[in-house]
Amino acid sequence: MTPPETIAIPGPVGVLETIYLPAQGAEQGVAVINHPNPLQGGTNTNKVIQTAAKALAKLGFHCYLPNLRGVGGSSGEHDYGRGETDDCCAVVAFARSRHPQAVKLAIAGFSFGGYVALFAAQKCPPDLLLLMGPAVRHYEREREPDAPHPGRTLLIHGESDEVVALQQSLDWAAPQDIPVIVLPQAGHFFHGKLIQLRDAVLRFAPAVLSH
């Protein structure tokens, strides 16, 4: 497996420090994977999004994990999801221009990153929207939108999530008929359950992509 590298991607307010993990085998698409809330220490080295990236790379996706604005070596200031949505879309555009032959698009995110992914998916609808413990029904500043294509959405949540309650994902998903994959005994950060998270992505993402 080719090791990841850190690259600089031009964003709306300056550089976006981004980890790039190349696709394994036959390339299928590009994926942008968004980190949890930086106000609680979230960065692109988070183990949950790293786990998702390794799974998606195995499925043939070139994976890009940006530090969103104000995080690590990225320019700008935290913008509570609005500016971060533009950052995500800028990385999508960069990834697609870099890999024109890899036609499918996955947008993913964990916690706050799932919230950002939902807004980004409105602007550039993906073939796979992967949400892991997403911060839905969580922020009062701006309510998250519905999934642009429920049939292309894969939502994985921990049964014992202590930050974003499982019920919040269920309440968001139910009106859209989006199934929720529940990992038993998993907390918000999927401690001790990263293998199960990886296996859930490897098992169910191909079904969503063929939808």
Side-chain angles (χ1 to χ4, degrees):
M1 185 172 113
T2 306
E5 61 176 313
T6 299
I7 61 175
I9 294 176
V13 295
V15 68
L16 292 168
E17 179 185 49
T18 302
I19 294 171
Y20 166 60
L21 183 64
Q24 297 177 40
E27 56 187 357
Q28 180 172 192
V30 297
V32 178
I33 307 162
N34 299 288
H35 60 69
N37 197 333
L39 300 182
Q40 278 80 51
T43 73
N44 64 358
T45 61
N46 173 267
K47 290 182 179 179
V48 174
I49 67 167
Q50 291 278 331
T51 297
K54 289 172 184 174
L56 289 171
K58 194 170 183 179
L59 293 173
F61 283 83
H62 295 283
C63 295
Y64 290 80
L65 291 70
N67 266 335
L68 300 170
R69 60 185 60 195
V71 181
S74 293
S75 304
E77 298 179 355
H78 180 68
D79 196 29
Y80 301 93
R82 287 179 180 243
E84 288 82 356
T85 297
D86 295 335
D87 293 343
C88 177
C89 290
V91 178
V92 167
F94 177 91
R96 286 185 137 167
S97 69
R98 199 179 187 206
H99 311 281
Q101 70 289 352
V103 296
K104 291 196 173 179
L105 171 64
I107 297 178
F110 163 50
S111 195
F112 169 78
Y115 176 81
V116 171
L118 267 172
F119 284 97
Q122 311 300 312
K123 297 186 175 185
C124 36
D127 300 283
L128 169 66
L129 176 60
L130 171 59
L131 306 173
M132 299 165 289
V136 291
R137 301 291 190 263
H138 195 69
Y139 297 120
E140 294 182 2
R141 182 180 296 266
E142 185 171 357
R143 179 58 65 92
E144 70 287 332
D146 289 344
H149 296 289
R152 298 179 190 172
T153 304
L154 176 60
L155 199 167
I156 305 171
H157 209 109
E159 175 193 25
S160 304
D161 193 319
E162 70 285 5
V163 177
V164 182
L166 170 60
Q167 191 62 49
Q168 291 171 225
S169 271
L170 295 174
D171 290 345
W172 175 81
Q176 304 174 72
D177 290 327
I178 295 173
V180 177
I181 298 169
V182 179
L183 298 191
Q185 300 180 336
H188 185 63
F189 293 95
F190 298 93
H191 290 311
K193 301 292 182 180
L194 291 174
I195 291 174
Q196 289 87 340
L197 175 66
R198 177 202 66 193
D199 290 349
V201 175
L202 290 173
R203 180 179 177 185
F204 293 105
V208 174
L209 287 162
S210 65
H211 191 274

